[in-house]
Amino acid sequence: MPSYTAPTKDMQFVLHEVLKVTETGVPGYEDLEADFTEAVLEAAGKVASEVLAPLNASGDQEGCHLENGVVRTPKGFKAAFEAMKDGGWTALDCDPEYGGQGMPYLLGCAVGEIFVSANMAFNMYQGLTHGAYSAIHVHGTPEQKATYLPKMVSCDWTGTMNLTEPHCGTDLGLMRTKAEPQDDGSYRITGQKIFISAGEHDLAENIIHLVLAKAPGGGEGTKGVSLFIVPKFLVNEDGSLGDRNGVAVGSIEEKMGIHGNATCVMNYDGAKGWLLGDLHKGMRAMFTMMNEARLGVGLQGYAVAEAAYQNAVTYAKDRLQGRAVTGVENPSGPADPLIVHPDIRRNLMDQKSFLEGARAFTFWGAHLIDRGHRAEDADAEGLISLMTPVIKGFLTDKGFETAVNAQQVYGGHGYIEEWGMSQFVRDARIAMIYEGANGVQALDLVGRKLAADGGKHVMAFFEMVKAFCKENAEVEGMEPFVGPLKAASKDLQAAGMFFMQNGMKNPNAALAGSYDFMHLFGHVCLGLMWGRMAKAALEALAAGAADPAFYETKLATGRYYMARQLPMTATHLARINSGADPVMALAAEAF
């Protein structure tokens, strides 16, 4: 059975030596002293390794079952959920006014990585609740907040987001779910939603569904969409649970992975719902959840791969196969361990260099969210809006690739279920699809985010990279980082220029290159993160760090990324510059 150990030292390095959180001036970050965050992360790691990880394989094998309208989660999930609630983990970064602990989102993000790595399917129950909590917290009335948030913070009640219908996924303007206004101010919600994660289960006494539906007078497309709070059980004025609402699970989807999470078809038959936010402005309220969820899915992409990588390293060190080409390295055994072979090292270094860069990138993104919300920094809000499709799309694509690479280390055993690597691959695959498929993320990046605010935020990113390269051009030890980063940034700027010159007269030319642009952007972001980590490592070594091997390893891993991964920006640029003609050459009937 696979094991998992929280990479707390790496997390602490990013928090305190790269981001230097206590020096940022973000309100609340002054509480994130190294001793405090270490204690929190170590405690989360203990829960992950002792409670969640042991349920990962069994939850995958057992899955969820529908019995008389109730979904039964796998054995052990209920007790584990109670342990999470009792430990206060569901309330870590929630508003203290509603029972939360008020910690920054960044710390919640770090803890979230640990829990996802240990058991992605299980963590989705509380993860979706957090998104629904956020939407109500931002857009709800005082009465709605008082009614729902305390129970959602504690996870006595959980939450969902209901967007997709059988005939529409990304194109939400095609939805058919209707909301009919009632005399008492409520609405009757009628329709069907599919792919609803945690739509029904036995972990909480109530489930608060946030449902997109069309109310009269809204017009066509997404402009007519509103968001509604539709509880599984109606809530009485005193806060107690009342009658069952007109919402029921129709079936559980049979999925490729995340079997421990119930993905449901939900039927709304005149269910009672209440408007959340403004009428016909449901997309605005829903995107409060979606943006948070997209960063969380990007985190899922690399967090599952982290668990796969840890087990691949263990296997590569233990499994004896062949002899090193440079001479025997295990003379007392019949063969040398896999890890002596250069191609295994290449595979593991691809994984390691991506994972550590992805963690830094995601934590930086969470820091921007905190800066935007806590310090009311509009520039930070704009920058994370630009980065969100990159975090979601690039990290989940590469996270899945990394999980596959970890499976490859096992050879034939990687294809056998009992070794557990198949589950990591199957679980990681969904992250490329849900919360907006990655092709849509690329279109969003190129079609909307680049030009937002007149291109202000992408220009600010270019200046950030340029300033970093200039500041460190003469710093000893930074040469392997500054040169490749500068070259990669020029590739990104050249791609952006191609879109500017060709996008208006031939939109397909831009959209045909959007996926490559998302990956090009992702590589530059990880290159910047590795530059920052290298600088921090060099400073620690110069100061006489107590654990020099840790920092030397960081530098070697970063140099690998800059030499072996970052040059992919040139390939992506060449594809972008080829325009739309190779992509659109065939008529539809020729496929």
Side-chain angles (χ1 to χ4, degrees):
M1 179 185 295
S3 62
Y4 169 72
T5 302
T8 54
K9 189 165 186 176
D10 277 303
M11 291 179 165
Q12 287 284 91
F13 171 71
V14 174
L15 291 174
H16 298 288
E17 299 180 68
V18 180
L19 295 178
K20 298 182 179 179
V21 290
T22 58
E23 302 173 24
T24 62
V26 175
Y29 274 33
E30 67 276 5
D31 296 328
L32 301 183
E33 294 289 347
D35 288 347
F36 172 72
T37 58
E38 182 179 26
V40 172
L41 296 176
E42 291 288 351
K46 191 171 189 292
V47 173
S49 61
E50 295 181 3
V51 178
L52 303 186
L55 297 174
N56 197 37
S58 61
D60 177 63
Q61 292 158 10
E62 182 183 345
C64 296
H65 304 282
L66 182 60
E67 297 177 0
N68 300 319
V70 177
V71 171
R72 303 299 179 190
T73 53
K75 292 181 180 64
F77 270 43
K78 177 69 172 175
F81 200 70
E82 291 300 315
M84 294 289 282
K85 290 164 54 179
D86 292 344
W89 296 109
T90 64
L92 191 67
D93 60 340
C94 296
D95 190 340
E97 184 175 347
Y98 304 104
Q101 298 177 38
M103 290 291 107
Y105 176 70
L106 173 57
L107 187 59
C109 184
V111 169
E113 179 196 322
I114 293 172
F115 292 157
V116 170
S117 292
N119 195 324
M120 176 178 168
F122 175 90
N123 194 66
M124 289 172 65
Y125 290 100
Q126 66 187 51
L128 269 296
T129 303
H130 194 285
Y133 152 86
S134 295
I136 296 173
H137 190 263
V138 173
H139 299 283
T141 65
E143 293 76 18
Q144 288 172 337
K145 293 178 185 180
T147 298
Y148 299 107
L149 293 188
K151 292 288 190 178
M152 296 177 75
V153 167
S154 66
C155 269
D156 289 334
W157 300 351
T158 59
T160 71
M161 50 200 299
N162 286 235
L163 292 79
T164 307
E165 299 183 8
H167 55 281
C168 75
T170 300
D171 192 353
L172 293 172
L174 297 176
M175 73 172 56
R176 297 172 184 161
T177 300
K178 299 296 183 183
E180 303 172 75
Q182 304 298 298
D183 292 341
D184 63 358
S186 67
Y187 288 77
R188 282 174 55 86
I189 312 297
T190 302
Q192 185 180 76
K193 299 289 185 177
I194 64 171
F195 305 157
I196 308 306
S197 299
E200 171 60 40
H201 56 81
D202 57 1
L203 302 180
E205 60 189 12
N206 203 6
I207 302 174
I208 311 304
H209 301 288
L210 298 193
V211 184
L212 281 180
K214 287 191 172 182
E220 297 298 318
T222 57
K223 293 180 181 179
V225 171
S226 301
L227 186 62
F228 299 90
I229 299 174
V230 186
K232 174 182 174 180
F233 288 98
L234 300 175
V235 182
N236 297 321
E237 288 188 10
D238 63 0
S240 63
L241 297 184
D243 295 337
R244 177 69 186 259
N245 206 353
V247 53
V249 58
S251 63
I252 304 177
E253 305 284 6
E254 294 290 335
K255 308 187 299 294
M256 175 180 175
I258 53 170
H259 294 151
N261 191 268
T263 305
C264 300
V265 174
M266 302 301 299
N267 296 319
Y268 293 85
D269 185 12
K272 203 174 187 69
W274 288 266
L275 182 68
L276 177 60
D278 296 328
L279 187 64
H280 309 314
K281 301 292 184 183
M283 296 306 295
R284 179 189 304 166
M286 182 58 79
F287 271 104
T288 299
M289 291 202 310
M290 290 293 286
N291 287 332
E292 176 184 306
R294 284 172 175 170
L295 186 139
V297 172
L299 181 149
Q300 286 180 336
Y302 82 82
V304 172
E306 167 69 31
Y309 163 75
Q310 289 187 15
N311 287 277
V313 169
T314 299
Y315 188 85
K317 290 179 178 179
D318 292 344
R319 176 74 167 175
L320 302 181
Q321 291 284 284
R323 291 294 189 185
V325 294
T326 53
V328 174
E329 295 200 20
N330 179 32
S332 62
D336 291 329
L338 280 172
I339 203 166
V340 306
H341 302 302
D343 192 60
I344 294 294
R345 291 290 188 96
R346 173 204 58 79
N347 188 337
L348 293 175
M349 286 297 285
D350 280 350
Q351 296 176 54
K352 182 176 174 62
S353 62
F354 163 71
L355 290 166
E356 293 179 20
R359 177 176 298 115
F361 185 25
T362 305
F363 283 19
W364 178 55
H367 159 71
L368 291 175
I369 290 176
D370 277 333
R371 182 172 289 281
H373 292 174
R374 290 172 171 258
E376 299 182 353
D377 185 334
D379 289 338
E381 290 269 18
L383 190 54
I384 189 55
S385 180
L386 172 69
M387 294 298 169
T388 295
V390 184
I391 290 172
K392 196 282 181 184
F394 180 68
L395 296 192
T396 58
D397 276 354
K398 299 297 287 187
F400 175 71
E401 178 185 309
T402 298
V404 171
N405 287 342
Q407 182 187 39
Q408 187 73 15
V409 171
Y410 280 69
H413 289 305
Y415 203 64
I416 303 302
E417 288 290 344
E418 69 180 89
W419 289 84
M421 302 308 287
S422 168
Q423 183 187 351
F424 293 132
V425 171
R426 290 184 286 101
D427 286 356
R429 184 64 182 88
I430 185 58
M432 300 163 69
I433 298 173
Y434 63 11
E435 304 303 344
N438 285 356
V440 175
Q441 301 300 321
L443 295 180
D444 178 47
L445 175 63
V446 171
R448 294 178 63 244
K449 299 300 176 62
L450 284 183
D453 296 326
K456 170 183 177 181
H457 306 297
V458 72
M459 294 306 297
F461 177 77
F462 288 144
E463 285 301 315
M464 185 184 302
V465 175
K466 181 179 178 180
F468 180 86
C469 291
K470 185 176 181 180
E471 289 169 7
N472 294 283
E474 305 300 325
V475 176
E476 186 177 355
M478 286 296 291
E479 301 91 340
F481 297 89
V482 171
L485 178 58
K486 187 183 296 184
S489 181
K490 287 180 178 178
D491 288 342
L492 184 62
Q493 293 177 65
M497 186 62 66
F498 176 87
F499 293 153
M500 289 179 60
Q501 293 172 345
N502 297 277
M504 292 298 292
K505 59 185 178 184
N506 182 9
N508 280 344
L511 299 185
S514 61
Y515 212 94
D516 279 287
F517 186 80
M518 181 177 71
H519 274 246
L520 200 169
F521 208 149
H523 277 298
V524 174
C525 289
L526 261 64
L528 177 61
M529 294 303 110
W530 271 115
R532 291 175 173 176
M533 287 191 284
K535 185 173 183 179
L538 289 168
E539 289 174 349
L541 288 169
D547 184 7
F550 174 83
Y551 298 102
E552 294 289 0
T553 299
K554 277 277 178 251
L555 289 167
T557 306
R559 287 192 292 266
Y560 180 91
Y561 191 88
M562 306 308 274
R564 299 280 303 222
Q565 293 294 322
L566 197 55
M568 279 299 299
T569 59
T571 298
H572 290 302
L573 177 60
R575 292 173 178 168
I576 290 167
N577 283 335
S578 73
D581 289 347
V583 175
M584 305 300 291
L586 294 182
E589 57 268 19
F591 283 90

